[in-house]
Amino acid sequence: MRTIVACLSLLLATPALAQTPTLIRPAAVFDGVDGRLHPGWSVLVEGERIVAVGPSVVAPADARIVDLPGATLLPGFIEGHSHLFLHPYNEAKWDDQVLHEPLALRTARAVVAAEDTLNAGFTTTRDLGTEGAGYADVGLRQAIDEGIVPGPRILAATRAIVATGAYGPKGFEPGADTPLGAEEADGDDLIRVVRSQIGGGADVIKLYADSPWRPGEPSRPTFSEAEMRLAVETAHAAGRPVAIHAATAEGMRRAASAGADTIEHGDGGTPEIYRLMAGRGVVLCPTLAATWSNARYAGWDGSAASAPPRVRAHREAFAAARAAGVKMCMGGDVGVYAHGTNALEMELMVDYGMPAADVLMAATSGNAEALDLPDRGRVQPGLLADLVAVQGDPTADIHATRNVVWVMKGGEVVKDPEPRTASAD
């Protein structure tokens, strides 16, 4: 019902109203530029762009005034690692989602997940693989872009790419034609697969540098460095960035050396590997929330004193990467946990030692830079009017990012549960 109502609202909106200038007056603005709060600033939006920001913005006579008392206005959050076609593993295991859930069901879930993501203040998401749902993310992206359903701007990775035999689901008769959560390729065939995914609509190419070869085994490197370099060069030639899943030190070394733009997870790194990443400008998307959530599903009570080894190791790896100067992406592998609770990753980044203002920068301008999105991530004139307001001061308490009171995407208000709009006069 909520999706139908949102769609009807979009259809009923008149072009004149959509073009009316809007002056937004929060308690303060976090612009994603200097990492500071700016009390008393206002933001003027015309069409889909920001046209003025500062302490003394003058609105046109016909402007709508949106007052947001007690709220901080920020750039729309950018989710760096999501899976819209997955839902929490305590609801259904990954294997069951890939093998047993019909594509139509998974797509219906993804539509709801996209709306939940947008309502949580995330106006852009990098969706790193449909995990067996083929190119459905491309269709969802189009549906959102055309205003058919509400959701964030999607950077789609489509099927992701894995070495033959290295990905699941597994445990079936060898040679059986089992649905996989990604597309297999090896050697020179990587060129064809990368190009076919780009031709099919991929905005970003995702590779898996390591994986368990058999159930119960630890992760081991899969692609050689030369194979990954071939895929990276092919993607970069087409103007597409490359995200590489890597959880082992050797997998991370190969990924960084091959030219990865981002490394996902990266919890098996060493100080040497993190220095290599920092030196090459490779961004780390740590996905702390996925590790934390899986531990909770296994029975952990969430207390630091009783944290399981995997959680402690991930926390230590995050600290080591920061100490080495690695740039951080804000991306939690959401889908492992509930869509719309994306802020969990920000909370854990702060809990693990990163200052709240730095985390907010990572979730806005940092991710915009890391994902090559120069038109968003900052509250500056000329950029897209993708904006989120949270109640309170998130630089003092990161948990304020959970309390989203207002969201604008491309100049259109998409969440305003308690309208505060008035005319300029």
Side-chain angles (χ1 to χ4, degrees):
M1 176 60 73
R2 57 180 175 172
T3 299
I4 294 172
V5 171
C7 291
L8 287 173
S9 298
L10 287 171
L11 290 170
L12 292 172
T14 64
L17 182 60
Q19 295 302 315
T20 301
T22 302
L23 182 68
I24 308 153
R25 301 191 300 201
V29 172
F30 183 94
D31 61 6
V33 177
D34 58 13
R36 295 189 293 112
L37 216 59
H38 297 278
W41 278 22
S42 298
V43 177
L44 181 64
V45 171
E46 292 186 10
E48 66 172 7
R49 301 278 170 173
I50 299 166
V51 297
V53 181
S56 55
V57 175
V58 178
D62 62 340
R64 292 173 292 165
I65 308 298
V66 177
D67 285 316
L68 298 168
T72 299
L73 188 73
L74 307 96
F77 299 133
I78 299 172
E79 171 62 63
H81 189 132
S82 72
H83 294 281
L84 290 170
F85 287 81
L86 292 177
H87 57 104
Y89 292 176
N90 63 334
E91 296 176 356
K93 294 182 179 179
W94 181 86
D95 281 22
D96 289 333
Q97 294 185 46
V98 175
L99 291 171
H100 303 303
E101 293 186 352
L103 179 58
L105 174 63
R106 298 188 68 189
T107 302
R109 287 187 188 277
V111 169
V112 175
E115 184 177 7
D116 289 342
T117 300
L118 183 61
N119 285 335
F122 288 79
T123 52
T124 298
T125 188
R126 184 175 63 153
D127 202 60
L128 287 182
T130 60
E131 305 292 336
Y135 287 80
D137 54 348
V138 175
L140 178 58
R141 181 187 66 198
Q142 182 177 353
I144 291 170
D145 291 347
E146 293 183 8
I148 298 169
V149 297
R153 305 176 194 274
I154 293 178
L155 302 176
T158 69
R159 300 179 65 188
I161 304 172
V162 295
T164 298
Y167 207 57
K170 293 194 172 187
F172 301 92
E173 173 68 22
D177 188 14
T178 306
L180 294 177
E183 185 171 9
E184 294 181 327
D186 307 286
D188 290 345
D189 193 43
L190 282 160
I191 296 175
R192 179 190 62 80
V193 171
V194 168
R195 288 174 176 167
S196 70
Q197 289 195 1
I198 293 171
D203 301 303
V204 56
I205 294 298
K206 183 184 180 184
L207 302 170
Y208 279 74
D210 45 36
S211 182
W213 284 99
R214 294 180 183 175
E217 289 189 355
S219 287
R220 291 186 174 89
T222 53
F223 289 124
S224 68
E225 182 182 326
E227 286 178 308
M228 284 192 282
R229 184 176 291 111
L230 188 63
V232 168
E233 289 174 353
T234 303
H236 284 177
R240 267 63 175 185
V242 178
I244 300 184
H245 165 117
T248 65
E250 178 58 18
M252 293 171 66
R253 186 197 67 75
R254 294 181 190 182
S257 299
D261 297 286
T262 65
I263 286 178
E264 312 304 308
H265 315 301
D267 48 316
T270 64
E272 178 185 11
I273 295 298
Y274 293 130
R275 286 194 295 269
L276 173 66
M277 289 178 62
R280 290 179 173 267
V282 181
V283 178
L284 176 64
C285 223
T287 66
L288 306 172
T291 300
W292 187 91
S293 297
N294 280 324
R296 293 301 304 271
Y297 301 155
W300 175 45
D301 64 5
S303 67
S306 62
R310 180 71 189 275
V311 172
R312 294 198 302 269
H314 209 161
R315 181 173 191 148
E316 292 165 3
F318 180 68
R322 289 187 58 236
V326 176
K327 292 182 180 179
M328 289 293 169
C329 158
M330 199 301 293
D333 211 355
V334 61
V336 174
Y337 54 102
H339 297 282
T341 64
N342 307 61
L344 173 61
E345 180 75 5
M346 288 192 271
E347 294 167 344
L348 290 172
M349 292 172 83
V350 171
D351 187 46
Y352 290 8
M354 192 168 177
D358 292 350
V359 171
L360 294 170
M361 291 291 284
T364 55
S365 56
N367 272 2
E369 180 181 0
L371 308 184
D372 193 23
L373 302 171
D375 61 352
R376 69 200 75 169
R378 303 182 306 282
V379 185
Q380 284 187 318
L383 300 192
L384 287 170
D386 288 0
L387 302 166
V388 56
V390 303
Q391 200 66 30
D393 176 4
T395 66
D397 180 5
I398 197 66
H399 295 90
T401 56
R402 296 263 190 168
N403 193 5
V404 173
V405 295
W406 187 87
V407 180
M408 171 178 276
K409 177 188 166 191
E412 295 284 349
V413 177
V414 294
K415 179 178 181 179
D416 189 11
E418 298 178 5
R420 303 177 179 86
T421 304
S423 63
D425 56 359

